[in-house]
């Protein structure tokens, strides 16, 4: 049984035909509500956590699974407890993030990321038979935080990337930023050069994500530079609409200006979304270890100044197909041993 979740719903991705469940989809928020409320809304968080606990408990009690595999801290915790009483045989924790950081955050975000997250990550590790880390840095950060190794068995398994089907081959003329605008997102680097980009190539800037206090600051900067006509804002987009917007983008940016952020441990989700659409990227060293992959495989550029940004955008716009081919080759060659091999070894 495969359960998927996003901001809008928890849904059954796959189940054997002979198995029935009392639900197919559980709604969380509609697109209109997501655009009005913060992702960090406390009531949404409590409701979602309650659903995760309930679903994991229900699956273990009813089906007594041989293997419970989860990317979600809440469900892997419940499965670990169920394993203790014989309702689950093997529990696997997939860790793709380490959220603890010293970056500037609201009280609620700091409490969630620096207190709640490490506690449940700790419980997920000690209650699991296998911990799958998406990078070595995640495992090292966890060990440094607790002062000891927590995992009984662990492997490093890079996040798999697969291209979208039916990617549009039309000429692209937009730059994309996808995700939460933070104080260190680096968007102030691109706003002042939008006039020249539009005048030279007709390029616009697309910002996709729920508004934050820093979004307001960027909007003020956009007005101050008189480039409102060259910037398009979207709130949360579902998968279909997101693909349609990204289809028009020749470059995805992640210009993190601070090294005190949790992106330095794993692969930022926005980069995966860009690469799946064969969108070359412009990033800074602040994205962490994946910056070396960008350099080595020529997936775009790693920069550290506004002057370098303009030159990089010019190169990606003119030679976009070359970088698309590099991304496709990178994805095709990004192979590692199947996770099923590790799981089978664990069960022997």
């Amino acid at each position: 049984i495969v359960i998927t979740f996003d901001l809008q719903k928890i849904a059954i991705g796959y189940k054997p035909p002979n198995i029935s469940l009392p639900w197919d989809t559980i709604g969380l928020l509609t697109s209109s509500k997501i655009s009005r409320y913060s992702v960090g809304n406390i009531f949404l968080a409590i409701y979602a956590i309650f659903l995760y606990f309930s679903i994991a408990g229900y699956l273990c009690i009813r089906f007594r699974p041989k293997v419970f595999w989860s990317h979600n801290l809440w469900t892997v915790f419940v499965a670990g407890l169920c394993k203790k009483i014989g309702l689950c045989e093997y529990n696997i924790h997939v860790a793709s993030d380490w959220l603890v950081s010293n970056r500037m955050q609201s009280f609620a975000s700091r409490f969630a990321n620096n207190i709640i997250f490490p506690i449940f990550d700790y419980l997920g590790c000690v209650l699991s038979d296998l911990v799958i880390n998406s990078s070595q840095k995640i495992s090292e950060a966890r060990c440094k935080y607790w002062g000891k190794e927590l995992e009984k068995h662990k492997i490093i398994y890079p996040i798999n990337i697969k291209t979208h089907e039916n990617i549009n081959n039309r000429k692209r003329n937009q730059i994309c930023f996808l995700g939460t605008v933070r104080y260190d997102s680096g968007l102030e680097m691109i706003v002042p050069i939008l006039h020249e980009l539009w005048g030279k190539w007709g390029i616009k800037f697309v910002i996709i994500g729920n508004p934050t206090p820093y979004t307001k600051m960027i909007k003020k900067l956009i007005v101050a530079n008189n480039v409102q006509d060259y910037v398009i804002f979207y709130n949360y987009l579902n998968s279909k609409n997101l693909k349609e917007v990204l289809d028009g983008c020749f470059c995805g940016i992640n210009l993190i200006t601070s090294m005190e952020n949790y992106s330095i441990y794993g692969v930022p989700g926005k980069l995966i979304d860009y690469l799946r659409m064969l969108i070359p990227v412009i990033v800074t060293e602040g994205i962490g270890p994946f910056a070396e992959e960008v350099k080595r495989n020529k997936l775009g550029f790693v920069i550290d100044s506004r002057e370098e940004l303009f030159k990089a955008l010019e190169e990606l716009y003119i030679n976009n197909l070359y970088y698309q081919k590099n991304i496709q080759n990178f994805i095709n060659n990004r192979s590692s041993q199947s996770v099923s091999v590790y799981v089978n070894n664990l069960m022997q």
Side-chain angles (χ1 to χ4, degrees):
I1 301 173
V2 178
I3 308 293
T4 64
F5 59 91
D6 56 32
L7 287 176
Q8 289 185 297
K9 63 186 180 303
I10 300 173
I12 298 172
Y14 168 80
K15 68 177 181 64
N18 61 320
I19 286 180
S20 63
L21 290 170
W23 49 272
D24 288 323
T25 301
I26 300 175
L28 292 176
L29 286 178
T30 63
S31 294
S32 61
K33 288 180 180 177
I34 289 172
S35 66
R36 290 201 301 267
Y37 296 104
S38 166
V39 177
N41 183 288
I42 186 64
F43 299 108
L44 169 61
I46 293 173
Y47 173 56
I49 292 169
F50 169 77
L51 288 177
Y52 296 144
F53 279 6
S54 301
I55 290 169
Y58 173 82
L59 292 173
C60 287
I61 292 170
R62 179 173 175 186
F63 298 110
R64 309 284 178 97
K66 188 176 185 68
V67 177
F68 193 102
W69 170 304
S70 180
H71 290 255
N72 184 290
L73 283 179
W74 314 111
T75 54
V76 80
F77 165 67
V78 173
L81 295 180
C82 290
K83 179 179 180 294
K84 290 287 187 182
I85 58 175
L87 298 179
C88 171
E89 193 169 343
Y90 294 98
N91 188 28
I92 297 177
H93 173 26
V94 183
S96 55
D97 279 313
W98 178 258
L99 301 183
V100 179
S101 74
N102 293 321
R103 69 182 177 86
M104 188 186 304
Q105 303 177 75
S106 66
F107 172 79
S109 294
R110 184 171 292 276
F111 180 75
N113 293 336
N114 289 9
I115 298 177
I116 298 299
F117 170 81
I119 290 174
F120 275 87
D121 180 75
Y122 176 96
L123 293 171
C125 288
V126 299
L127 292 172
S128 295
D129 299 283
L130 174 66
V131 178
I132 300 176
N133 298 299
S134 64
S135 77
Q136 182 64 36
K137 279 186 171 289
I138 290 176
S139 182
E140 292 171 355
R142 181 186 297 120
C143 182
K144 181 179 178 180
Y145 184 88
W146 293 107
K148 60 181 180 179
E149 292 274 358
L150 302 180
E151 306 97 326
K152 300 171 187 173
H153 302 282
K154 65 178 179 180
I155 60 171
I156 307 301
Y157 190 84
I159 293 174
N160 234 347
I161 303 174
K162 293 184 178 180
T163 54
H164 270 290
E165 296 179 359
N166 304 319
I167 295 176
N168 200 314
N169 290 322
R170 64 186 169 88
K171 181 67 175 176
R172 303 174 177 186
N173 69 336
Q174 294 177 339
I175 304 162
C176 176
F177 173 82
L178 174 62
T180 303
V181 178
R182 305 194 307 245
Y183 77 96
D184 61 351
S185 294
L187 301 192
E188 68 278 359
M189 294 175 64
I190 199 167
V191 171
I193 62 175
L194 285 175
H195 258 305
E196 188 172 358
L197 290 171
W198 170 259
K200 199 168 184 179
W201 295 295
I203 291 172
K204 289 190 174 184
F205 184 29
V206 175
I207 300 175
I208 306 171
N210 291 317
T212 70
Y214 299 104
T215 307
K216 294 179 181 179
M217 295 173 61
I218 291 299
K219 286 183 175 180
K220 289 180 180 179
L221 184 62
I222 288 168
V223 171
N225 283 268
N226 194 29
V227 292
Q228 303 94 305
D229 292 341
Y230 318 138
V231 184
I232 305 169
F233 283 92
Y234 293 95
N235 288 319
Y236 172 84
L237 295 175
N238 60 32
S239 299
K240 179 182 177 182
N241 292 336
L242 177 62
K243 180 184 178 301
E244 290 175 357
V245 173
L246 292 181
D247 253 339
C249 298
F250 74 92
C251 171
I253 62 169
N254 196 16
L255 306 174
I256 295 176
T257 58
S258 168
M259 293 301 290
E260 294 292 340
N261 72 90
Y262 51 74
S263 294
I264 64 172
Y265 299 108
V267 181
K270 58 175 63 66
L271 291 187
I272 296 172
D273 284 313
Y274 297 154
L275 297 179
R276 291 186 68 202
M277 291 294 297
L278 300 183
I279 299 174
V281 300
I282 299 178
V283 300
T284 60
E285 295 286 354
I287 69 164
F290 200 75
E292 286 303 316
E293 297 279 12
V294 173
K295 293 177 186 177
R296 186 182 307 115
N297 296 281
K298 297 183 179 180
L299 309 178
F301 290 91
V302 181
I303 65 161
D304 58 17
S305 71
R306 186 181 299 168
E307 292 71 29
E308 288 182 311
L309 174 60
F310 189 89
K311 292 177 182 178
L313 286 167
E314 182 177 37
E315 168 64 16
L316 293 186
Y317 182 76
I318 293 172
N319 296 308
N320 202 249
L321 287 178
Y322 167 77
Y323 291 95
Q324 286 187 41
K325 290 178 181 177
N326 290 346
I327 295 169
Q328 188 66 72
N329 290 335
F330 168 72
I331 291 173
N332 291 343
N333 296 328
R334 189 180 169 87
S335 60
S336 56
Q337 192 173 25
S338 171
V339 170
S340 62
V341 173
Y342 299 105
V343 176
N344 291 333
N345 289 340
L346 177 67
M347 293 189 297
Q348 288 177 356

